Amino acid sequence: MSDYYSPTPGPDYLRKVNWDHKYRHENMSVDMDVWYPMLKSITFKTYFIHIYRREAEAIVNFYNYKNKNQDEVFTYEDTKVLEQLQIKIDYYFNTYDDLKKGAMFRLTGRSGKDALYYDNEKIYKDYLRNLDENCKKYNKDKSDVNMKYISILSIMDRFKVNNGKEVLNILLTSYRLHFDLNDWLKHGGKEQIVLRKWDEGLSPDKEFRCFVRDNEIKAICQDERFALFPDLIKKKSIYEKLINDFFNTKVQSLMKIPNYIIDFCVFDNNEVKLIEFSPFLLCTSARLFRWNINYKEMLHGNGKLTVR
């Protein structure tokens, strides 16, 4: 077993180490601002917005006020700072054509996918429509759990933001981003607002996580852990070849580190795009795999795609 990976951490590991803190600092070597300049031609057009410490403090103060009942921490000055931050973000949406149809938002380290949705009513209506369409397509009943689940996943634009107000909604309600900004204020590092061009062709059944060791793909799995996608099963061999070919021709020669985890998406026209990188460490989700069960395949496999 290589030094950089241990499949069985000691029993006191989680007690001694804050998982989010460890995740953030172990991911810094593969944060978006590190790899994007080198690989921007094979991923989504991306814009970086600098966050000042005072802006991060205002975001953290609001979260603590709203969720931890710390009434005294959020001030009128914090409100003014957040208003100016919204104006700064809106400038990008109003200026760059790539963002006119919306964007994917995250910080350099990770997204705020745990945030509250900005328009719950729209999300629910989209879910009902998707459920109806999926059940007809696969001849399933609306009580089918898998149909319900993939109908939720299919609402891809629940992750789309269109202006500074929607970005702030995520910044102010996501625990993940609250933790990362608070950790930055306490321990340093770097954080930026990241806006990535929205692509309507994104689909959850065509996103994949690849495990790279010695600069070779050893294993691939569907990114979504719990859903069974009937169409993905049918096209498994096609996607497997597309991903391996894309990695071998577009990514492999540019990487200076030998071991990492990388996510790709495939579009209906068989175009492949890079989504993001993660460290080849326990802090990264193995998605469909399990670190303590599938580590041999993840470290020594032959680049095959595993689906549910």
Side-chain angles (χ1 to χ4, degrees):
M1 188 67 64
S2 299
D3 292 338
Y4 65 86
Y5 169 68
S6 172
T8 53
D12 60 347
Y13 178 77
L14 290 179
R15 179 172 59 82
K16 289 183 177 180
V17 179
N18 182 295
W19 187 262
D20 282 300
H21 173 75
K22 184 177 178 64
Y23 176 91
R24 177 172 177 265
H25 285 266
E26 288 185 337
N27 266 269
M28 284 182 179
S29 64
V30 288
D31 277 356
M32 274 212 61
D33 56 338
V34 175
W35 60 262
Y36 179 76
M38 180 172 56
L39 296 169
K40 61 184 178 181
S41 65
I42 56 173
T43 190
F44 305 94
K45 177 66 175 178
T46 300
Y47 297 86
F48 297 88
I49 306 175
H50 180 74
I51 303 177
Y52 292 98
R53 288 185 63 86
R54 186 63 187 90
E55 293 168 337
E57 289 170 354
I59 294 167
V60 169
N61 288 346
F62 177 87
Y63 189 93
N64 288 337
Y65 159 73
K66 189 71 174 177
N67 298 284
K68 299 182 181 180
N69 298 318
Q70 298 179 9
D71 294 343
E72 72 284 355
V73 301
F74 188 67
T75 67
Y76 174 75
E77 290 304 318
D78 289 325
T79 301
K80 301 303 290 183
V81 169
L82 294 179
E83 287 177 346
Q84 291 303 309
L85 177 58
Q86 179 178 323
I87 292 172
K88 182 167 73 171
I89 297 169
D90 277 331
Y91 169 81
Y92 281 77
F93 283 101
N94 296 329
T95 301
Y96 297 104
D97 290 339
D98 292 318
L99 303 178
K100 292 294 176 64
K101 295 183 178 180
M104 296 176 279
F105 159 66
R106 55 176 292 158
L107 296 184
T108 49
R110 58 178 171 175
S111 69
K113 61 184 178 183
D114 61 322
L116 300 179
Y117 295 131
Y118 187 75
D119 187 345
N120 286 302
E121 184 177 358
K122 178 183 182 301
I123 295 295
Y124 185 61
K125 289 180 179 178
D126 289 346
Y127 160 71
L128 293 177
R129 184 185 66 250
N130 288 347
L131 181 61
D132 184 61
E133 292 175 354
N134 285 326
C135 289
K136 289 179 179 178
K137 179 179 179 180
Y138 298 110
N139 194 27
K140 297 286 187 178
D141 189 85
K142 289 185 179 180
S143 63
D144 185 283
V145 174
N146 190 60
M147 289 295 105
K148 291 182 177 182
Y149 191 60
I150 65 175
S151 296
I152 294 171
L153 295 174
S154 300
I155 312 172
M156 291 301 293
D157 63 358
R158 72 191 191 277
F159 297 123
K160 182 166 71 170
V161 290
N162 299 284
N163 50 55
K165 183 182 291 186
E166 293 178 6
V167 170
L168 276 184
N169 175 70
I170 298 174
L171 280 169
L172 297 175
T173 63
S174 166
Y175 168 77
R176 285 157 55 101
L177 302 191
H178 160 75
F179 182 92
D180 288 355
L181 290 173
N182 196 40
D183 192 79
W184 168 47
L185 293 172
K186 290 181 177 179
H187 303 289
K190 58 187 184 303
E191 288 296 346
Q192 297 183 74
I193 290 172
V194 179
L195 298 177
R196 313 188 74 189
K197 181 181 178 180
W198 182 260
D199 195 314
E200 296 293 344
L202 287 168
S203 179
D205 60 329
K206 301 183 185 70
E207 294 186 16
F208 304 93
R209 175 147 289 188
C210 304
F211 300 84
V212 178
R213 184 174 183 237
D214 298 328
N215 212 18
E216 293 182 356
I217 291 182
K218 299 299 182 180
I220 310 170
C221 68
Q222 68 182 64
D223 188 72
E224 173 51 51
R225 290 176 291 174
F226 304 112
L228 184 153
F229 298 110
D231 291 342
L232 173 57
I233 296 172
K234 296 176 184 177
K235 299 179 180 179
K236 175 177 174 291
S237 60
I238 296 174
Y239 293 141
E240 181 183 291
K241 185 177 188 306
L242 287 170
I243 293 167
N244 275 284
D245 288 347
F246 182 81
F247 175 82
N248 292 335
T249 58
K250 302 290 187 180
V251 180
Q252 189 179 50
S253 62
L254 296 176
M255 294 307 297
K256 306 303 179 185
I257 56 175
N259 310 308
Y260 49 91
I261 292 172
I262 185 170
D263 295 343
F264 295 113
C265 56
V266 180
F267 293 89
D268 289 341
N269 62 357
N270 290 340
E271 179 189 9
V272 181
K273 280 191 175 181
L274 165 64
I275 299 177
E276 63 182 356
F277 286 88
S278 303
F280 204 126
L281 295 168
L282 284 168
C283 64
T284 303
S285 169
R287 290 300 192 260
L288 203 60
F289 297 134
R290 293 293 179 268
W291 281 105
N292 61 341
I293 297 175
N294 307 107
Y295 67 89
K296 288 185 177 179
E297 179 179 357
M298 294 155 66
L299 292 172
H300 308 292
N302 53 7
K304 297 296 183 181
L305 170 60
T306 298
V307 300
R308 184 170 292 284

